[in-house]
Amino acid sequence: MVPKSSSTRLPRARSKPLVSEKAERFTESVIRDMTRQAHLYGAINLAQGFPDFPAPAEIKRAAQQAIAADVNQYAITWGAKSLRQAIATKMKKWQGLEIDPEAEITVCCGSTEAMIASLLAITNAGDDIVIFEPFYENYGPDAILSDARPRFVTLHPPAEPAGEWRFDEQELRAAFGPRTKAIILNTPNNPTGKVFTRAELEFIRGLCLEFGALAITDEIYEHILYDGARHISIATLDGMRERTITINGMSKTYSVTGWRVGWAVASPALTNAIRKVHDFLTVGAPAPLQEAGATALSLPDSYYQELAAAYRARRDRLLPALQQAGFKTFVPRGAYYIMTDISSFGFPDDVSFAQHLVKDIGIASVPGSSFYSHPQLGARQVRFAFCKTDATLDEAARRLLQVRGR
Ligand code: GLN
Protein backbone atom coordinates (compact mmCIF):
# COMPACT_ATOMS: atom_id res chain seq x y z
CA MET A 1 0.00 0.00 0.00
CA VAL A 2 1.31 3.44 -0.89
CA PRO A 3 1.40 5.70 2.19
CA LYS A 4 -0.58 8.87 1.83
CA SER A 5 1.66 11.83 1.14
CA SER A 6 1.94 13.95 4.24
CA SER A 7 1.09 17.05 2.23
CA THR A 8 -2.51 15.98 1.91
CA ARG A 9 -2.83 16.42 5.66
CA LEU A 10 -1.67 20.05 5.60
CA PRO A 11 -4.34 22.63 6.37
CA ARG A 12 -5.24 24.96 3.54
CA ALA A 13 -2.94 27.95 3.61
CA ARG A 14 -4.72 31.11 4.60
CA SER A 15 -3.92 33.96 2.28
CA LYS A 16 -2.38 37.11 3.71
CA PRO A 17 -0.35 39.90 2.14
CA LEU A 18 3.27 38.82 2.07
CA VAL A 19 4.87 42.19 2.52
CA SER A 20 4.22 45.15 4.76
CA GLU A 21 2.17 48.16 3.75
CA LYS A 22 5.24 50.27 4.41
CA ALA A 23 7.38 48.27 2.00
CA GLU A 24 4.63 48.62 -0.61
CA ARG A 25 4.66 52.38 -0.31
CA PHE A 26 8.04 53.03 -1.90
CA THR A 27 9.99 51.68 -4.82
CA GLU A 28 13.52 50.46 -5.09
CA SER A 29 16.07 53.27 -5.42
CA VAL A 30 16.11 54.62 -8.96
CA ILE A 31 19.72 55.76 -8.45
CA ARG A 32 20.90 52.24 -7.64
CA ASP A 33 18.76 50.82 -10.46
CA MET A 34 20.41 53.16 -12.96
CA THR A 35 23.80 51.80 -11.87
CA ARG A 36 22.61 48.29 -12.71
CA GLN A 37 21.36 49.56 -16.07
CA ALA A 38 24.76 51.17 -16.70
CA HIS A 39 26.32 47.71 -16.22
CA LEU A 40 23.68 46.08 -18.42
CA TYR A 41 24.18 48.45 -21.36
CA GLY A 42 27.88 49.13 -20.83
CA ALA A 43 27.08 52.79 -20.30
CA ILE A 44 29.17 55.44 -18.52
CA ASN A 45 27.70 55.79 -15.05
CA LEU A 46 26.88 59.43 -14.39
CA ALA A 47 23.91 58.23 -12.32
CA GLN A 48 24.99 57.07 -8.87
CA GLY A 49 27.27 59.54 -7.13
CA PHE A 50 30.48 57.62 -6.51
CA PRO A 51 34.01 58.44 -7.71
CA ASP A 52 35.65 56.29 -10.39
CA PHE A 53 39.09 57.46 -9.26
CA PRO A 54 41.21 56.08 -6.40
CA ALA A 55 40.85 57.01 -2.74
CA PRO A 56 43.87 58.75 -1.13
CA ALA A 57 46.79 56.33 -0.69
CA GLU A 58 47.34 57.11 3.01
CA ILE A 59 43.74 56.19 3.84
CA LYS A 60 43.95 52.90 1.98
CA ARG A 61 47.23 52.15 3.75
CA ALA A 62 45.66 52.91 7.12
CA ALA A 63 42.83 50.45 6.37
CA GLN A 64 45.28 47.75 5.27
CA GLN A 65 47.37 48.28 8.40
CA ALA A 66 44.31 48.10 10.64
CA ILE A 67 43.32 44.75 9.15
CA ALA A 68 46.91 43.47 9.41
CA ALA A 69 46.98 44.58 13.05
CA ASP A 70 43.82 42.52 13.59
CA VAL A 71 41.35 45.30 14.15
CA ASN A 72 38.88 42.75 12.85
CA GLN A 73 36.28 42.44 15.59
CA TYR A 74 33.40 44.72 16.51
CA ALA A 75 34.31 48.27 17.37
CA ILE A 76 32.38 49.88 20.23
CA THR A 77 28.84 49.93 18.91
CA TRP A 78 28.66 53.75 18.68
CA GLY A 79 32.08 54.01 17.08
CA ALA A 80 35.80 53.47 17.60
CA LYS A 81 37.22 55.94 20.09
CA SER A 82 39.91 57.11 17.67
CA LEU A 83 37.35 57.99 14.99
CA ARG A 84 34.97 59.73 17.41
CA GLN A 85 37.88 61.77 18.73
CA ALA A 86 38.89 62.69 15.17
CA ILE A 87 35.30 63.73 14.35
CA ALA A 88 35.15 65.97 17.43
CA THR A 89 38.53 67.53 16.62
CA LYS A 90 37.55 68.18 13.01
CA MET A 91 34.20 69.71 13.96
CA LYS A 92 35.93 72.01 16.44
CA LYS A 93 38.35 73.11 13.76
CA TRP A 94 35.89 73.57 10.88
CA GLN A 95 32.65 74.46 12.63
CA GLY A 96 33.95 75.78 15.95
CA LEU A 97 31.64 73.32 17.75
CA GLU A 98 32.64 71.63 21.01
CA ILE A 99 31.43 68.06 20.67
CA ASP A 100 31.84 65.43 23.39
CA PRO A 101 33.03 62.30 21.58
CA GLU A 102 31.90 60.14 24.51
CA ALA A 103 28.30 61.31 24.53
CA GLU A 104 27.42 63.06 21.30
CA ILE A 105 28.63 60.95 18.36
CA THR A 106 27.23 57.76 16.83
CA VAL A 107 29.23 56.14 14.04
CA CYS A 108 26.95 54.29 11.63
CA CYS A 109 27.08 52.29 8.40
CA GLY A 110 27.24 55.35 6.18
CA SER A 111 25.28 58.55 6.53
CA THR A 112 22.38 56.55 5.09
CA GLU A 113 22.10 54.59 8.31
CA ALA A 114 22.78 57.70 10.38
CA MET A 115 19.73 59.34 8.77
CA ILE A 116 17.29 56.46 9.22
CA ALA A 117 18.57 55.72 12.74
CA SER A 118 18.04 59.39 13.63
CA LEU A 119 14.50 59.43 12.24
CA LEU A 120 13.61 56.18 13.99
CA ALA A 121 15.03 57.61 17.20
CA ILE A 122 12.97 60.81 17.19
CA THR A 123 9.65 60.23 15.43
CA ASN A 124 6.32 58.92 16.61
CA ALA A 125 3.65 57.69 14.23
CA GLY A 126 1.99 60.65 12.56
CA ASP A 127 4.76 63.17 13.22
CA ASP A 128 5.45 65.53 10.31
CA ILE A 129 8.89 65.79 8.77
CA VAL A 130 9.53 68.79 6.52
CA ILE A 131 11.61 67.95 3.44
CA PHE A 132 12.71 70.30 0.67
CA GLU A 133 12.11 68.95 -2.81
CA PRO A 134 13.79 67.99 -5.02
CA PHE A 135 15.33 65.80 -2.32
CA TYR A 136 17.87 63.00 -2.12
CA GLU A 137 15.62 60.04 -2.77
CA ASN A 138 16.34 58.18 0.51
CA TYR A 139 14.48 60.76 2.61
CA GLY A 140 11.06 59.73 1.29
CA PRO A 141 11.34 56.02 2.21
CA ASP A 142 13.15 57.00 5.43
CA ALA A 143 10.07 58.99 6.47
CA ILE A 144 7.73 56.12 5.57
CA LEU A 145 9.82 53.54 7.44
CA SER A 146 9.75 55.71 10.54
CA ASP A 147 5.96 56.21 10.29
CA ALA A 148 6.40 59.94 9.80
CA ARG A 149 4.48 62.07 7.34
CA PRO A 150 6.70 63.92 4.88
CA ARG A 151 5.67 67.54 4.19
CA PHE A 152 7.39 68.62 1.01
CA VAL A 153 8.42 72.21 0.38
CA THR A 154 9.54 73.25 -3.09
CA LEU A 155 13.00 74.52 -3.88
CA HIS A 156 12.18 76.64 -6.91
CA PRO A 157 14.67 76.42 -9.77
CA PRO A 158 16.36 79.64 -10.85
CA ALA A 159 15.19 81.35 -14.01
CA GLU A 160 18.81 81.92 -15.05
CA PRO A 161 21.33 79.04 -15.29
CA ALA A 162 23.70 80.71 -12.82
CA GLY A 163 20.91 81.67 -10.39
CA GLU A 164 20.08 80.00 -7.08
CA TRP A 165 17.40 77.49 -6.15
CA ARG A 166 15.22 79.14 -3.50
CA PHE A 167 12.41 78.29 -1.13
CA ASP A 168 9.52 80.63 -0.52
CA GLU A 169 9.42 81.65 3.13
CA GLN A 170 5.63 81.58 3.26
CA GLU A 171 5.54 78.09 1.75
CA LEU A 172 8.07 76.85 4.27
CA ARG A 173 6.20 78.42 7.17
CA ALA A 174 2.96 76.83 5.95
CA ALA A 175 4.57 73.38 6.13
CA PHE A 176 5.30 73.78 9.85
CA GLY A 177 2.64 73.05 12.44
CA PRO A 178 2.11 71.53 15.88
CA ARG A 179 2.94 68.04 14.55
CA THR A 180 6.25 69.04 12.97
CA LYS A 181 8.98 66.96 14.56
CA ALA A 182 11.88 67.91 12.32
CA ILE A 183 13.07 69.40 9.09
CA ILE A 184 15.59 67.52 6.95
CA LEU A 185 18.23 69.77 5.46
CA ASN A 186 20.89 68.79 2.97
CA THR A 187 23.53 71.41 2.35
CA PRO A 188 25.43 71.42 0.01
CA ASN A 189 22.38 69.95 -1.66
CA ASN A 190 21.88 66.82 -3.70
CA PRO A 191 20.54 67.05 -6.43
CA THR A 192 20.38 70.84 -6.96
CA GLY A 193 23.89 71.89 -5.87
CA LYS A 194 22.34 74.59 -3.67
CA VAL A 195 24.36 75.76 -0.68
CA PHE A 196 22.03 77.19 1.96
CA THR A 197 22.95 80.74 3.01
CA ARG A 198 23.19 82.00 6.57
CA ALA A 199 20.02 84.05 6.09
CA GLU A 200 18.10 80.98 4.88
CA LEU A 201 19.36 78.89 7.78
CA GLU A 202 18.40 81.64 10.22
CA PHE A 203 14.88 81.65 8.82
CA ILE A 204 14.73 77.86 9.25
CA ARG A 205 16.06 78.23 12.79
CA GLY A 206 13.24 80.65 13.56
CA LEU A 207 10.66 78.06 12.53
CA CYS A 208 12.42 75.25 14.42
CA LEU A 209 12.35 77.31 17.61
CA GLU A 210 8.79 78.54 17.13
CA PHE A 211 7.41 75.05 16.48
CA GLY A 212 9.77 73.10 18.77
CA ALA A 213 11.14 71.17 15.81
CA LEU A 214 14.55 69.58 15.30
CA ALA A 215 16.85 70.01 12.30
CA ILE A 216 18.44 66.91 10.83
CA THR A 217 21.15 68.16 8.55
CA ASP A 218 22.93 65.97 6.02
CA GLU A 219 26.28 67.68 5.38
CA ILE A 220 28.04 64.91 3.48
CA TYR A 221 29.19 67.32 0.72
CA GLU A 222 30.51 69.98 3.14
CA HIS A 223 33.93 70.22 1.47
CA ILE A 224 32.71 70.16 -2.13
CA LEU A 225 32.04 73.86 -2.77
CA TYR A 226 32.46 76.19 -5.76
CA ASP A 227 32.60 79.88 -6.61
CA GLY A 228 33.40 80.99 -3.07
CA ALA A 229 30.31 79.32 -1.55
CA ARG A 230 30.64 78.80 2.22
CA HIS A 231 29.25 75.84 4.09
CA ILE A 232 27.37 76.73 7.27
CA SER A 233 26.22 74.09 9.76
CA ILE A 234 22.85 74.98 11.25
CA ALA A 235 24.09 73.56 14.59
CA THR A 236 26.37 76.61 14.87
CA LEU A 237 23.43 79.04 14.91
CA ASP A 238 22.37 80.35 18.32
CA GLY A 239 19.68 78.13 19.80
CA MET A 240 20.26 75.22 17.39
CA ARG A 241 23.11 73.31 19.07
CA GLU A 242 20.67 71.27 21.19
CA ARG A 243 18.06 70.75 18.49
CA THR A 244 20.24 69.67 15.57
CA ILE A 245 21.36 66.24 14.44
CA THR A 246 24.34 66.72 12.12
CA ILE A 247 25.00 63.87 9.73
CA ASN A 248 28.20 63.36 7.82
CA GLY A 249 30.49 60.60 6.66
CA MET A 250 33.63 59.53 4.85
CA SER A 251 32.05 58.59 1.52
CA LYS A 252 32.22 61.81 -0.45
CA THR A 253 35.04 63.70 1.28
CA TYR A 254 37.51 60.80 1.05
CA SER A 255 36.15 59.03 -2.05
CA VAL A 256 35.24 55.80 -0.22
CA THR A 257 31.50 55.38 -0.79
CA GLY A 258 31.77 51.60 -0.43
CA TRP A 259 33.30 51.70 3.04
CA ARG A 260 30.02 52.64 4.68
CA VAL A 261 31.31 54.85 7.47
CA GLY A 262 29.14 57.79 8.49
CA TRP A 263 28.00 59.42 11.73
CA ALA A 264 25.36 61.41 13.54
CA VAL A 265 26.31 64.17 15.98
CA ALA A 266 23.72 65.39 18.48
CA SER A 267 23.14 66.32 22.11
CA PRO A 268 23.56 63.47 24.66
CA ALA A 269 19.79 62.99 25.01
CA LEU A 270 19.30 62.61 21.26
CA THR A 271 22.48 60.57 20.89
CA ASN A 272 21.29 58.11 23.52
CA ALA A 273 18.25 57.29 21.43
CA ILE A 274 20.18 57.24 18.14
CA ARG A 275 22.76 54.86 19.63
CA LYS A 276 20.08 52.42 20.78
CA VAL A 277 18.44 52.33 17.36
CA HIS A 278 21.79 52.05 15.59
CA ASP A 279 22.89 49.18 17.85
CA PHE A 280 19.91 47.05 16.89
CA LEU A 281 20.01 48.01 13.21
CA THR A 282 23.63 47.19 12.46
CA VAL A 283 25.65 46.81 15.71
CA GLY A 284 28.45 48.84 14.19
CA ALA A 285 30.31 50.13 11.16
CA PRO A 286 33.34 48.20 9.84
CA ALA A 287 36.01 48.37 12.56
CA PRO A 288 39.22 48.58 10.47
CA LEU A 289 37.68 51.22 8.23
CA GLN A 290 36.83 53.32 11.27
CA GLU A 291 40.53 53.27 12.20
CA ALA A 292 41.34 54.46 8.69
CA GLY A 293 38.68 57.12 9.20
CA ALA A 294 40.69 58.57 12.08
CA THR A 295 43.63 58.92 9.66
CA ALA A 296 41.41 60.46 6.99
CA LEU A 297 39.92 63.09 9.28
CA SER A 298 43.40 64.13 10.33
CA LEU A 299 44.55 65.03 6.80
CA PRO A 300 45.93 68.58 6.40
CA ASP A 301 43.76 71.47 5.18
CA SER A 302 45.45 71.32 1.79
CA TYR A 303 43.64 68.02 1.16
CA TYR A 304 40.26 69.76 1.30
CA GLN A 305 41.41 72.66 -0.85
CA GLU A 306 42.66 70.26 -3.50
CA LEU A 307 39.46 68.22 -3.30
CA ALA A 308 37.31 71.29 -3.97
CA ALA A 309 39.58 72.51 -6.78
CA ALA A 310 39.53 69.10 -8.47
CA TYR A 311 35.73 68.98 -8.29
CA ARG A 312 35.49 72.46 -9.68
CA ALA A 313 37.56 71.38 -12.70
CA ARG A 314 35.28 68.34 -13.18
CA ARG A 315 32.15 70.49 -12.95
CA ASP A 316 33.57 72.90 -15.50
CA ARG A 317 34.37 70.01 -17.83
CA LEU A 318 30.89 68.52 -17.85
CA LEU A 319 28.84 71.75 -17.80
CA PRO A 320 29.79 72.99 -21.31
CA ALA A 321 29.39 69.49 -22.72
CA LEU A 322 25.81 69.34 -21.42
CA GLN A 323 25.09 72.86 -22.64
CA GLN A 324 26.45 72.11 -26.12
CA ALA A 325 24.31 68.99 -26.27
CA GLY A 326 21.19 71.13 -25.68
CA PHE A 327 20.56 70.77 -21.96
CA LYS A 328 19.56 73.71 -19.84
CA THR A 329 21.87 73.37 -16.85
CA PHE A 330 21.59 74.58 -13.27
CA VAL A 331 25.09 75.48 -12.14
CA PRO A 332 25.84 73.81 -8.79
CA ARG A 333 27.47 75.80 -5.96
CA GLY A 334 28.30 72.61 -4.10
CA ALA A 335 28.10 68.77 -4.17
CA TYR A 336 28.93 66.90 -7.37
CA TYR A 337 25.77 66.79 -9.46
CA ILE A 338 24.37 68.86 -12.29
CA MET A 339 20.60 69.07 -12.47
CA THR A 340 19.42 69.77 -16.00
CA ASP A 341 16.22 70.72 -17.78
CA ILE A 342 15.53 68.47 -20.77
CA SER A 343 12.55 70.35 -22.21
CA SER A 344 14.35 71.20 -25.45
CA PHE A 345 14.63 67.51 -26.44
CA GLY A 346 10.88 67.03 -26.72
CA PHE A 347 10.69 63.68 -24.91
CA PRO A 348 7.45 62.84 -23.12
CA ASP A 349 9.16 62.59 -19.74
CA ASP A 350 12.41 62.20 -17.81
CA VAL A 351 12.23 58.41 -17.62
CA SER A 352 11.93 57.90 -21.39
CA PHE A 353 14.75 60.38 -21.89
CA ALA A 354 17.01 58.63 -19.35
CA GLN A 355 16.21 55.31 -21.03
CA HIS A 356 17.25 56.74 -24.39
CA LEU A 357 20.47 58.06 -22.82
CA VAL A 358 21.47 54.79 -21.22
CA LYS A 359 20.49 52.47 -24.08
CA ASP A 360 21.25 54.47 -27.21
CA ILE A 361 23.84 57.02 -26.11
CA GLY A 362 25.67 55.01 -23.43
CA ILE A 363 25.27 57.39 -20.50
CA ALA A 364 23.44 56.57 -17.29
CA SER A 365 21.77 59.50 -15.53
CA VAL A 366 19.05 59.79 -12.91
CA PRO A 367 15.53 60.78 -14.02
CA GLY A 368 14.42 63.91 -12.19
CA SER A 369 11.22 62.32 -10.94
CA SER A 370 13.15 60.22 -8.44
CA PHE A 371 13.85 63.42 -6.48
CA TYR A 372 10.22 64.52 -6.20
CA SER A 373 7.12 63.39 -4.33
CA HIS A 374 5.13 63.29 -7.58
CA PRO A 375 6.76 62.06 -10.82
CA GLN A 376 5.17 64.93 -12.73
CA LEU A 377 7.23 67.48 -10.81
CA GLY A 378 10.52 66.07 -12.08
CA ALA A 379 9.37 65.06 -15.54
CA ARG A 380 11.53 67.69 -17.24
CA GLN A 381 14.70 67.13 -15.26
CA VAL A 382 17.61 64.72 -15.32
CA ARG A 383 20.63 64.63 -12.95
CA PHE A 384 24.25 63.93 -13.90
CA ALA A 385 27.04 63.10 -11.43
CA PHE A 386 30.50 64.40 -12.27
CA CYS A 387 32.61 62.66 -9.62
CA LYS A 388 34.55 61.02 -12.45
CA THR A 389 37.99 61.08 -14.09
CA ASP A 390 38.71 63.47 -16.95
CA ALA A 391 38.80 60.48 -19.29
CA THR A 392 35.30 59.41 -18.23
CA LEU A 393 33.94 62.95 -18.52
CA ASP A 394 35.55 63.47 -21.94
CA GLU A 395 34.06 60.24 -23.24
CA ALA A 396 30.68 61.30 -21.82
CA ALA A 397 31.05 64.67 -23.60
CA ARG A 398 31.75 62.87 -26.87
CA ARG A 399 28.68 60.67 -26.46
CA LEU A 400 26.48 63.60 -25.43
CA LEU A 401 26.98 65.11 -28.88
CA GLN A 402 24.89 62.23 -30.26
CA VAL A 403 21.81 63.20 -28.24
CA ARG A 404 19.05 64.27 -30.57
CA GLY A 405 15.64 65.71 -29.91
CA ARG A 406 12.45 63.89 -30.70
N1 GLN B 1 24.41 59.95 -2.85
C1 GLN B 1 24.58 59.23 -4.06
C2 GLN B 1 23.67 59.76 -5.14
O1 GLN B 1 22.83 60.57 -4.89
C3 GLN B 1 24.34 57.78 -3.97
C4 GLN B 1 24.15 57.27 -2.63
C5 GLN B 1 23.73 55.86 -2.62
O2 GLN B 1 23.41 55.28 -3.65
N2 GLN B 1 23.74 55.34 -1.46
O3 GLN B 1 23.81 59.33 -6.25
Side-chain angles (χ1 to χ4, degrees), residues 30 37 107 159 168 188 195 267 289 340 342-343 361 406:
V30 176
Q37 293 203 38
V107 177
D168 178 286
V195 178
S267 69
L289 304 184
T340 65
I342 55 165
S343 303
I361 306 294
R406 274 237 165 118

Short mmCIF file of all heavy atoms in Angstrom, two decimals, residues 30 37 107 159 168 188 195 267 289 340 342-343 361 406:
data_model
loop_
_atom_site.label_atom_id
_atom_site.label_comp_id
_atom_site.label_asym_id
_atom_site.label_seq_id
_atom_site.Cartn_x
_atom_site.Cartn_y
_atom_site.Cartn_z
N VAL A 30 15.88 54.42 -7.53
CA VAL A 30 16.11 54.62 -8.96
C VAL A 30 17.61 54.82 -9.22
O VAL A 30 18.16 54.36 -10.22
CB VAL A 30 15.30 55.82 -9.47
CG1 VAL A 30 15.59 56.09 -10.93
CG2 VAL A 30 13.81 55.59 -9.26
N GLN A 37 21.58 49.38 -14.63
CA GLN A 37 21.36 49.56 -16.07
C GLN A 37 22.65 49.97 -16.78
O GLN A 37 22.89 49.58 -17.91
CB GLN A 37 20.27 50.59 -16.32
CG GLN A 37 18.91 50.11 -15.86
CD GLN A 37 17.79 50.84 -16.57
OE1 GLN A 37 17.88 51.13 -17.76
NE2 GLN A 37 16.73 51.12 -15.85
N VAL A 107 28.70 56.55 15.35
CA VAL A 107 29.23 56.14 14.04
C VAL A 107 28.32 55.04 13.50
O VAL A 107 27.95 54.11 14.23
CB VAL A 107 30.69 55.66 14.15
CG1 VAL A 107 31.20 55.17 12.80
CG2 VAL A 107 31.58 56.78 14.68
N ALA A 159 15.56 81.06 -12.63
CA ALA A 159 15.19 81.35 -14.01
C ALA A 159 16.44 81.37 -14.88
O ALA A 159 16.43 80.95 -16.03
CB ALA A 159 14.47 82.69 -14.07
N ASP A 168 10.36 79.49 -0.85
CA ASP A 168 9.52 80.63 -0.52
C ASP A 168 9.26 80.58 1.00
O ASP A 168 8.82 79.55 1.51
CB ASP A 168 8.22 80.49 -1.33
CG ASP A 168 7.24 81.60 -1.03
OD1 ASP A 168 6.62 81.58 0.08
OD2 ASP A 168 7.10 82.48 -1.87
N PRO A 188 25.80 71.23 1.40
CA PRO A 188 25.43 71.42 0.01
C PRO A 188 24.43 70.35 -0.44
O PRO A 188 24.50 69.22 0.02
CB PRO A 188 26.75 71.30 -0.74
CG PRO A 188 27.81 71.63 0.28
CD PRO A 188 27.27 71.18 1.59
N VAL A 195 23.71 75.65 -1.98
CA VAL A 195 24.36 75.76 -0.68
C VAL A 195 23.53 76.77 0.12
O VAL A 195 23.41 77.93 -0.28
CB VAL A 195 25.83 76.23 -0.81
CG1 VAL A 195 26.47 76.39 0.57
CG2 VAL A 195 26.63 75.23 -1.65
N SER A 267 23.06 66.19 20.65
CA SER A 267 23.14 66.32 22.11
C SER A 267 23.08 64.93 22.76
O SER A 267 22.58 63.98 22.15
CB SER A 267 21.94 67.14 22.61
OG SER A 267 20.76 66.37 22.42
N LEU A 289 37.90 50.03 9.05
CA LEU A 289 37.68 51.22 8.23
C LEU A 289 37.44 52.44 9.12
O LEU A 289 37.71 53.58 8.72
CB LEU A 289 36.53 51.00 7.26
CG LEU A 289 36.72 49.76 6.36
CD1 LEU A 289 35.59 49.64 5.36
CD2 LEU A 289 38.06 49.80 5.64
N THR A 340 19.65 69.16 -14.69
CA THR A 340 19.42 69.77 -16.00
C THR A 340 17.93 69.78 -16.32
O THR A 340 17.16 69.00 -15.77
CB THR A 340 20.13 68.97 -17.11
OG1 THR A 340 19.54 67.66 -17.19
CG2 THR A 340 21.62 68.85 -16.85
N ILE A 342 15.45 69.18 -19.49
CA ILE A 342 15.53 68.47 -20.77
C ILE A 342 14.40 68.86 -21.73
O ILE A 342 14.19 68.20 -22.75
CB ILE A 342 15.48 66.93 -20.54
CG1 ILE A 342 14.22 66.54 -19.74
CG2 ILE A 342 16.74 66.47 -19.82
CD1 ILE A 342 13.89 65.06 -19.77
N SER A 343 13.72 69.96 -21.41
CA SER A 343 12.55 70.35 -22.21
C SER A 343 12.86 70.42 -23.70
O SER A 343 12.04 70.03 -24.54
CB SER A 343 12.03 71.71 -21.77
OG SER A 343 11.72 71.68 -20.41
N ILE A 361 22.71 56.09 -26.15
CA ILE A 361 23.84 57.02 -26.11
C ILE A 361 24.97 56.47 -25.24
O ILE A 361 26.14 56.80 -25.42
CB ILE A 361 23.39 58.41 -25.57
CG1 ILE A 361 22.19 58.93 -26.36
CG2 ILE A 361 24.52 59.41 -25.55
CD1 ILE A 361 22.47 59.27 -27.82
N ARG A 406 13.48 64.71 -30.09
CA ARG A 406 12.45 63.89 -30.70
C ARG A 406 11.54 64.74 -31.56
O ARG A 406 11.21 65.84 -31.15
CB ARG A 406 11.59 63.24 -29.60
CG ARG A 406 12.20 61.97 -29.13
CD ARG A 406 11.22 60.80 -29.28
NE ARG A 406 11.96 59.55 -29.16
CZ ARG A 406 11.75 58.64 -28.20
NH1 ARG A 406 10.81 58.83 -27.34
NH2 ARG A 406 12.45 57.54 -28.16
#
